[in-house]
Amino acid sequence: MPYVTVKMLEGRTEDQKKALVEKVTDAVSETTGASKDKVVVFIEEMSKNHYAVAGKRLSDED
């Protein structure tokens, strides 16, 4: 049973997240041979103040 975690900044629409889950599930099923009903996808959303690059939070750059 493959488990996939997608970490991304918040702000995507429900339709975008639905499409992401469907495509990730398809890709994992096709490449691993696991049936789609065994593929688990977690979406972890972060706010810009919880994500930093080069010592600066993304929220500080807006």
Side-chain angles (χ1 to χ4, degrees), residues 1-61:
M1 179 176 288
Y3 292 86
V4 178
T5 301
V6 177
K7 295 184 179 192
M8 62 185 185
L9 294 174
E10 63 188 3
R12 290 356 184 267
T13 67
E14 291 303 311
D15 286 340
Q16 288 172 317
K17 289 184 272 188
K18 180 181 175 186
L20 174 66
V21 168
E22 290 172 358
K23 290 183 182 275
V24 168
T25 299
D26 288 344
V28 171
S29 178
E30 289 171 15
T31 57
T32 66
S35 61
K36 289 182 184 182
D37 64 329
K38 299 294 185 190
V39 177
V40 179
V41 179
F42 299 98
I43 296 176
E44 294 181 8
E45 293 183 289
M46 299 174 285
S47 65
K48 286 185 176 182
N49 63 337
H50 292 161
Y51 188 86
V53 176
K56 295 193 179 212
R57 296 182 311 165
L58 293 182
S59 61
D60 296 334
E61 295 179 2

